Amino acid sequence: GNMLLLSAELAGLAAILFAVTSKTFIRGVSLTWLQVMRKFYGLIVNIDPIAILQNGINEMRKKLDIVDENVTKLESVLVSMRKKLKEYKDVFENNVRKRDSLQKKICTIEDFTEQLKYKSQLQLINNEITRGNEQIKSQSERIITSEKYLDIMKKLQIAADFKVQDAQNELSYRKD
């Protein structure tokens, strides 16, 4: 009886070993395992390529909105910077006129004390002219730099818009 049971057990073990080592069985188990894991992983993380592409497009649109907003802000800042530059130039020109007038006036004054008073005013105006010239120079440089940034941002905006549109077209193609 025991021999018969041992033979049946050995035959069963041989059948199990044959099944486990056969390529067909291993491939079937492997594919089943991959499908189970993909379904399980899909519950945790979105692995649908169309949904991933759509999420990417949505993110790009959000970033493009931020770029649009920054372009608009920079354009308005440039307007105020140009206005400020014009104010600096107006003040500068006014100071130059004051200086010229004071120089003419000093030549006509003979009293040394009175001349000293006008010379000190002239020195103040000359100092203002020097500072005004520096203001104009630095403001002009800031405007040039900001215009370069604006140009770059607009080019990036066009490129990003193209990328979003291309991705949207790709998504439409894949959905069909």
Side-chain angles (χ1 to χ4, degrees):
N2 280 343
M3 241 0 212
L4 191 57
L5 188 59
L6 179 63
S7 298
E9 286 176 351
L10 285 177
L13 184 60
I16 290 173
L17 283 175
F18 176 76
V20 168
T21 57
S22 91
K23 288 186 178 187
T24 308
F25 178 78
I26 292 173
R27 192 175 303 124
V29 168
S30 176
L31 289 175
T32 303
W33 174 255
L34 286 175
Q35 286 179 340
V36 167
M37 287 311 294
R38 186 170 185 206
K39 292 287 183 193
F40 175 72
Y41 189 66
L43 295 174
I44 300 170
V45 177
N46 188 3
I47 57 173
D48 176 21
I50 292 176
I52 292 171
L53 186 56
Q54 182 64 55
N55 288 340
I57 290 170
N58 293 341
E59 284 299 312
M60 284 191 288
R61 285 197 189 284
K62 287 178 190 172
K63 289 178 182 175
L64 192 55
D65 288 343
I66 292 170
V67 170
D68 290 342
E69 186 178 316
N70 288 337
V71 165
T72 303
K73 285 179 183 177
L74 186 52
E75 285 172 335
S76 71
V77 166
L78 269 168
V79 167
S80 65
M81 288 172 77
R82 287 185 188 111
K83 183 179 175 187
K84 196 71 170 167
L85 178 61
K86 185 184 177 325
E87 289 173 14
Y88 290 157
K89 285 180 177 180
D90 290 344
V91 168
F92 178 81
E93 290 168 3
N94 190 34
N95 284 334
V96 168
R97 281 192 293 278
K98 283 181 184 177
R99 179 193 64 196
D100 294 344
S101 172
L102 277 172
Q103 284 175 335
K104 287 177 185 173
K105 192 162 193 154
I106 288 174
C107 292
T108 63
I109 298 173
E110 292 180 16
D111 181 43
F112 180 74
T113 309
E114 193 72 19
Q115 220 179 34
L116 191 60
K117 183 173 109 179
Y118 280 104
K119 282 184 179 181
S120 63
Q121 287 178 358
L122 180 63
Q123 185 58 49
L124 287 173
I125 292 294
N126 281 331
N127 292 348
E128 283 299 306
I129 289 172
T130 302
R131 282 190 284 272
N133 196 28
E134 287 300 314
Q135 278 182 321
I136 290 169
K137 183 180 169 187
S138 63
Q139 186 73 353
S140 296
E141 289 171 359
R142 283 192 297 267
I143 289 172
I144 289 168
T145 302
S146 296
E147 286 171 340
K148 287 178 185 176
Y149 285 138
L150 182 63
D151 184 52
I152 290 168
M153 286 175 65
K154 284 183 175 182
K155 287 176 182 172
L156 287 173
Q157 186 180 28
I158 291 168
D161 193 40
F162 167 78
K163 187 77 172 167
V164 168
Q165 190 60 47
D166 189 46
Q168 189 67 50
N169 292 343
E170 176 73 17
L171 181 64
S172 297
Y173 171 76
R174 288 187 182 229
K175 280 184 178 178
D176 290 343

